[in-house]
Amino acid sequence: MEITVQDMLQEELFAQAVVETGKSNFSEKKIQWVSVIEMPVENFVRKNELVLTTALGCKDDLDAFMQFVEDIIRAEASALVIATGRHINEIPSEIKALAESHCLTMIRIPWEIRFATIVEFVMEELAQRKSSEILQNVKVQQELLQFLLEEKRLHELLEFIQMQVAANVYLTDHNFRLYDLEEYSKGAQEKWQLVFQMEEEIILRQDRFMRDPYRQKFDLVAFLDKELIQIPILQVTGEAKGYLFVELPNQAAYEPFLNKYGQILEHAATTIALWLSKRNAVEETENKLRSDFVEELAKGKFRNAEEADLRANPLGYSIYHTYVCILAQPEKLREIYKQRKHASGTYSLWEKTMHGYLEEELVYAAQTLKQEVMMTQTEEAFLVYLHIEHQTDYQLATDFLDLVDRRLKHFFPEVTLRWAVSGKVESFTDFQRSFIEAKQAMQIGEKKGNPRTWYEDTVLERILLQLQPISEMDTIREDVLEPLLTYQEERKINLIETFLTFQQHRGNVSKTAQSLHLHRQSLLYRLRKIEALTGLSLHDSHHLFLLELSMRAWEINNT
């Protein structure tokens, strides 16, 4: 419990005290400190401090007295007690008016009441009430530690904290993503992320909250129509592992709430930090085992299905489902980092954080689609085996890619993924084959600039890649295309694009002209120029095949 100015005035010691100003709200004025102060005040008075003074030096100087009282008001003291009868006999009306206008409780006491007696009384009251509060806090701290010893679940720990502070609490990671997602609706999760992804704009902390050094770790933030207290969950390194948010109850003020529950919240934050450290150690070990298993599976390190199955079962995986192998490669992360306005820390640290976020998004997408994933991270891309049982034409894989891309565009629009998708994994031996297929699809996708590449759609490109090492093919390609490339460079007219579009529309001049936004005669001129430069006829099927083969081979090698 706290002591208020009203509590103090009801004691016999203050029987002769007269409340000159601030009578309307002295029942709300809490006393946390007591001191004897004369001029000047400067920074020696704290908020909620009971100030005792004789007004020494103000007897014949009204301006000095006014300045003294203004300093007390500015310090947000609980009350100003003035001993009259020696230096001043009456409090000037101007001083009373100033105090009343700022709701400062000003109390006049006789000179005979010793300040030492008042200080002793207030300190004893504070100590007695503080002792009761300390006992309660120790009890809460012991109960919090019991949660760790009994290995209770996180939501049970949060429910206990909520009960102790009589307010809703939320726990997030350092990117403001909620822990224990199953406790929240999807809409609530997305709304939370939407608000807190720009946390720099919602901090409401003001300098006046920082006068108490014990409160410097607490921030006040806005969340929609609510105000929340934000407490960092600190690691051993001093960095924030996450944040505990406490929703201020209706009509509750920030500082009185912290005065009452601040120590409990500090104990809660420490307990949560220990709980998360323990869970993270377990999770990191499990994730490492899962990641190693998937990598070995993709690279064909297991001798047979039985050996792989023995490793898969304890990890919660099955190698007997139908999967598709997906590679997800983040694009231009270093360029994105350099362009960030508030870049802090090294690129390696930021990249690691971003990879962690992307991995969580991949897991979230699979959970949303209610499908199993086996995942690891290669040097440049995420490797995902997505369960697609009973799916035709890879619709579920398309839904998976769409969901991840849509959420990235919403939360991190500057971050994109390049995708490559293999054929189906329908037996144990297909795992390594599908990984190779996905890598080939990614290689082709990079050359062609495709955001998504399906292995089964790359038959022509794969054939052309196989032809690249053949020296005779290089000679044929150069003989056919060199005149066209020279002409293109000189005239800035893309004849290769013209021909490939012409072939795409199966020799239909009107559709080709429309697609290229050309006049019909301009297109005919270009087609005749192709025939003239190459010496090949567009009416001869063998010549058409040679032209397209040469152009496609050049395209995949030079895109």
Side-chain angles (χ1 to χ4, degrees), residues 353-370:
T353 301
M354 184 56 64
H355 281 174
Y357 171 77
L358 292 173
E359 183 174 346
E360 290 175 9
E361 286 298 325
L362 294 169
V363 172
Y364 174 84
Q367 290 174 342
T368 301
L369 297 172
K370 299 181 180 179

Side-chain angles (χ1 to χ4, degrees), residues 292-305 307-309 311-312 428:
D292 290 347
F293 169 77
V294 176
E295 183 176 358
E296 291 175 35
L297 191 64
K299 294 182 178 180
K301 297 293 182 67
F302 295 104
R303 289 172 294 183
N304 50 54
E307 181 183 350
D309 190 47
R311 282 275 302 279
F428 169 72

Side-chain angles (χ1 to χ4, degrees), residues 115-232:
F115 283 174
T117 305
I118 297 175
V119 171
E120 182 181 8
F121 162 75
V122 174
M123 293 300 292
E124 285 181 355
E125 284 292 314
L126 289 174
Q128 183 178 348
R129 301 184 188 213
K130 193 67 176 177
S131 176
S132 175
E133 181 182 326
I134 289 173
L135 288 175
Q136 177 62 24
N137 288 338
V138 169
K139 181 182 177 183
V140 171
Q141 185 179 24
Q142 291 173 342
E143 292 179 357
L144 285 168
L145 290 175
Q146 197 65 27
F147 275 85
L148 288 176
L149 297 176
E150 295 177 1
E151 299 185 346
K152 294 287 186 69
R153 294 181 61 188
L154 181 59
H155 77 88
E156 295 178 282
L157 176 58
L158 295 178
E159 286 174 0
F160 176 77
I161 297 168
Q162 284 187 162
M163 184 175 64
Q164 296 303 314
V165 300
N168 294 327
V169 300
Y170 308 90
L171 182 64
T172 76
D173 62 15
H174 63 287
N175 288 319
F176 303 101
R177 290 189 294 270
L178 292 166
Y179 281 104
D180 264 12
L181 295 181
E182 65 273 10
E183 300 296 322
Y184 307 94
S185 67
K186 292 178 183 177
Q189 296 173 37
E190 293 186 357
K191 184 182 294 183
W192 182 281
Q193 179 65 21
L194 179 63
V195 172
F196 277 90
Q197 66 178 338
M198 296 300 293
E199 69 275 16
E200 297 150 37
E201 298 180 5
I202 61 173
I203 296 294
L204 298 180
R205 186 166 73 183
Q206 301 176 19
D207 289 340
R208 66 188 182 89
F209 294 149
M210 301 303 294
R211 294 187 177 181
D212 184 350
Y214 296 104
R215 299 289 178 257
Q216 290 185 1
K217 67 178 65 176
F218 297 97
D219 280 322
L220 181 64
V221 302
F223 179 69
L224 302 179
D225 58 343
K226 303 287 186 181
E227 287 185 351
L228 287 77
I229 296 172
Q230 175 183 330
I231 308 109

Side-chain angles (χ1 to χ4, degrees), residues 38-50:
E38 303 295 350
M39 295 179 60
V41 175
E42 296 183 345
N43 293 321
F44 295 113
V45 175
R46 290 168 287 190
K47 185 176 181 178
N48 297 331
E49 186 165 322
L50 177 67

